[in-house]
Amino acid sequence: LAVVITFGGILTITFSDKSDGDDGEEGFWGDVLSLLSSVFYGVYATFLKWKMPEEDDRQGKVNLGLFFGLVGVFNVVLLGWLFPVLDYTGVEVFELPSKAVLGMLFLNAFFGTVLSDFFWAKSVLLLSPLITTVGMSLTIPASMIMDFVLHGSTFHILYVFGSVMVVVGFVIITISNEKLSKETQGRDIKDFLSESESPETEQLTATPYE
């Protein structure tokens, strides 16, 4: 239900953009690329949760710094050669930024990439890809609020309604996950007590050591 509400909110926001005149071929390809980006990101989050070990005393903690460092190395090795190719063909001209722009790029990389990806990966390991991905949808209402506060921007009523749906979906899935965690923890404690009270356990406990 929470996923349906969140997805419905995102669709409502998309339709609000269409009603504001964001249509045509560029709008279509923008929607296609956004959909592909969401699919790849979902696969990435699921694969991360599947391959990364759980953080416990037996397997230790995940070194996220090393993980993202290797991600950066692979990006440079596999995609770095595109810079001179795109610059030579004129598809994307590459030029060195000014000092002011370079400083803003460093700040954006630190807050928008390093910290955000670190917290995102940590959330995937602690919770689940589903909850983390739904939580990332909160960037939509958050950006709307900040745009209104900083720039005084106004939004279509469908955009506001869709943002509310996204928040409601996140609240529902968070409450459901909390209830599921408590039920699972209660079953684990009950199973542990049942095993400790079994006849085999009592016999082993009563057997004296020589």
Side-chain angles (χ1 to χ4, degrees), residues 34-136:
S34 299
L35 179 61
L36 289 176
S37 175
S38 301
V39 171
F40 287 135
Y41 217 81
V43 173
Y44 176 39
T46 305
F47 191 80
L48 179 67
K49 179 66 175 181
W50 177 39
K51 286 297 184 180
M52 283 289 190
E54 297 290 340
E55 294 193 354
D56 52 27
D57 295 334
R58 293 176 300 172
Q59 300 183 13
K61 293 185 177 181
V62 177
N63 191 338
L64 291 179
L66 177 61
F67 171 75
F68 284 114
L70 292 175
V71 171
V73 171
F74 279 106
N75 283 331
V76 172
V77 173
L78 298 178
L79 302 177
W81 61 273
L82 290 175
F83 278 98
V85 173
L86 296 177
D87 182 72
Y88 179 78
T89 56
V91 175
E92 187 70 31
V93 179
F94 178 75
E95 60 182 9
L96 293 176
S98 62
K99 292 183 179 180
V101 174
L102 188 62
M104 295 302 297
L105 288 176
F106 273 113
L107 289 177
N108 179 72
F110 179 73
F111 290 103
T113 302
V114 177
L115 287 183
S116 62
D117 283 353
F118 179 84
F119 293 147
W120 167 82
K122 198 73 172 178
S123 176
V124 170
L125 296 177
L126 294 176
L127 298 173
S128 68
L130 175 61
I131 299 176
T132 304
T133 304
V134 173
M136 288 183 62

